[in-house]
Amino acid sequence: MAGSGGLPGGAGGSQGTVGGPGAALRASRAPLLFAALVLGAYCLCALPGRCPPAGRVPAPAPARAEPPRASRSPGAPGLPVASGSGRRRFPQALIVGVKKGGTRALLEFLRLHPDIRALGSEPHFFDRCYERGLAWYRSLMPRTLDGQITLEKTPSYFVTREAPRRIHSMSPATKLIVVVRNPVTRAISDYAQTLSKTPGLPSFGALAFRRGLGPVDTAWSAVRIGLYAQHLDNWLRHFPLSRFLFVSGERLVSDPAGELGRVQDFLGLKRVVTDKHFYFNATKGFPCLKKAQGSGRPHCLGKSKGRPHPRVPEAVVQRLRAFYRPFNRKFYQMTGQDFGWD
Ligand code: A3P
């Protein structure tokens, strides 16, 4: 039994044969130590992020170095404009959530619209960097002309308690877009992302439930983020429902042009991004762009978007689905939209 319970790769085996009882004890503790190390690394990753030092936050948006676009105001094609002109403004619209909902896809697709100028990276201003002040925030934004919309996306805003009040004090007219996805699939997607950075993580089921198959662990962020009704409740203290658009993460995959149509209407823009912009890439298994913004070549999202999910036992999925059901129903009532997750 020399290597049983030891670490793979021979280290445990050699300890078991030459080290006596002390070494055997050390070997039997090795898996525990390893698990503790993995959990420690995971906890560090899962801590709410801090605002990065000034050099590492998104640099103020440069003037666009592209050929002039053929549009100046919504729905006014044919009027060329000089690149790099315009002013930096606060965003009139924000994609505030949810993590792993499909927020990157939505942002990339919206950027095709000539009347949208979006920040490429996530500034995390209303959750992590608020103390830097509004002037700093505005300095990050791309320049826009009258009639163009400034947009940024930071999915953690949706679950940040202070974000609605802070955004309201920037402008109560801000339009808020939330991409939502079946909370069970979203949680598994979130877990898959963490697992890709922390190999050896405990199983999804072990993290989702306390004490084996005990109560659902709502303190685990992968579970907590999916309590959409609770988070929305906090937002509705500051903004009326009419200020929100809820995008179905599922339809964003099955019918991207349809969802993009709704978003363009909500933003008061002409429907410029339509089904002629998309094709289904069978290798990726997702819709991709026929021509990416800027390059003109076909473009799919990167490897971290649409990654394979680990297999989760059906019993775990069913328990979690049952857990979310009342929250989902409440969310459908609050939004007046049935997302069909149940
Ligand atoms: P998975 O990687 O779990 O499939 P976010 O950008 O908010 O982090 O969301 C990531 C999710 O966007 C992906 O989760 C994927 O399902 C979804 N998605 C939606 N449309 C997509 C597209 N056209 N290409 C790739 N992923 C897309």
Side-chain angles (χ1 to χ4, degrees):
M1 294 295 288
S4 71
L7 290 167
S14 65
Q15 278 175 4
T17 48
V18 295
L25 195 64
R26 279 199 301 278
S28 69
R29 281 186 187 151
L32 274 176
L33 264 171
F34 179 67
L37 276 173
V38 169
L39 263 176
Y42 166 64
C43 290
L44 276 177
C45 288
L47 282 175
R50 296 234 181 98
C51 187
R56 294 179 50 203
V57 291
R64 182 176 236 159
E66 281 173 29
R69 285 195 172 275
S71 169
R72 186 162 63 191
S73 57
L79 294 172
V81 296
S83 61
S85 50
R87 291 192 291 124
R88 299 189 200 282
R89 299 165 219 247
F90 292 119
Q92 297 97 319
L94 296 171
I95 300 175
V96 294
V98 298
K99 182 184 178 196
K100 307 319 293 174
T103 54
R104 175 57 57 183
L106 179 62
L107 189 83
E108 293 291 306
F109 299 165
L110 279 173
R111 292 179 103 171
L112 293 176
H113 200 294
D115 294 323
I116 291 187
R117 298 294 319 276
L119 196 58
S121 51
E122 295 174 6
H124 282 279
F125 176 65
F126 294 106
D127 58 341
R128 298 181 194 164
C129 299
Y130 196 60
E131 68 287 353
R132 297 228 163 138
L134 280 162
W136 174 83
Y137 181 53
R138 187 168 51 191
S139 76
L140 303 177
M141 297 301 149
R143 293 180 187 278
T144 49
L145 301 168
D146 291 342
Q148 286 185 314
I149 289 177
T150 306
L151 178 73
E152 69 111 328
K153 81 126 179 152
T154 304
S156 45
Y157 291 162
F158 193 60
V159 298
T160 300
R161 221 169 160 75
E162 308 76 29
R165 182 179 45 77
R166 291 171 173 177
I167 293 170
H168 187 272
S169 76
M170 173 186 71
S171 166
T174 310
K175 294 187 178 184
L176 305 160
I177 301 172
V178 196
V179 190
V180 285
R181 178 184 187 186
N182 184 327
V184 180
T185 332
R186 198 220 67 80
I188 298 173
S189 170
D190 204 336
Y191 172 78
Q193 174 164 302
T194 313
L195 190 62
S196 72
K197 295 178 188 159
T198 324
L201 202 62
S203 70
F204 177 83
L207 292 168
F209 304 108
R210 281 186 249 142
R211 299 187 305 276
L213 268 187
V216 171
D217 190 352
T218 51
W220 186 31
S221 68
V223 167
R224 195 171 49 83
I225 291 172
L227 300 171
Y228 303 144
Q230 288 192 357
H231 303 300
L232 181 58
D233 220 27
N234 180 40
W235 284 83
L236 292 177
R237 288 174 219 274
H238 302 271
F239 288 95
L241 192 65
S242 57
R243 210 71 81 227
F244 290 85
L245 181 76
F246 300 94
V247 172
S248 157
E250 285 81 12
R251 281 201 299 272
L252 193 59
V253 176
S254 63
D255 177 18
E259 285 306 277
L260 264 287
R262 293 181 59 237
V263 179
Q264 290 166 96
D265 291 350
F266 175 69
L267 295 176
L269 298 175
K270 191 175 165 198
R271 288 190 174 206
V272 170
V273 186
T274 62
D275 49 6
K276 72 173 192 299
H277 289 94
F278 301 99
Y279 75 101
F280 183 80
N281 184 306
T283 314
K284 175 88 179 163
F286 283 89
C288 296
L289 293 174
K290 285 185 189 161
K291 287 182 185 177
Q293 191 235 14
S295 89
R297 284 200 296 273
H299 172 72
C300 295
L301 265 60
K303 277 206 302 279
S304 66
K305 306 294 174 184
R307 55 158 80 87
H309 290 181
R311 214 194 69 76
V312 174
E314 191 53 29
V316 169
V317 171
Q318 288 308 335
R319 273 209 59 203
L320 212 49
R321 192 169 284 167
F323 163 78
Y324 276 121
R325 198 164 292 130
F327 296 99
N328 290 345
R329 298 244 162 96
K330 173 93 190 296
F331 185 64
Y332 299 167
Q333 272 173 14
M334 290 168 91
T335 58
Q337 263 175 270
D338 182 339
F339 290 89
W341 300 320
D342 304 296

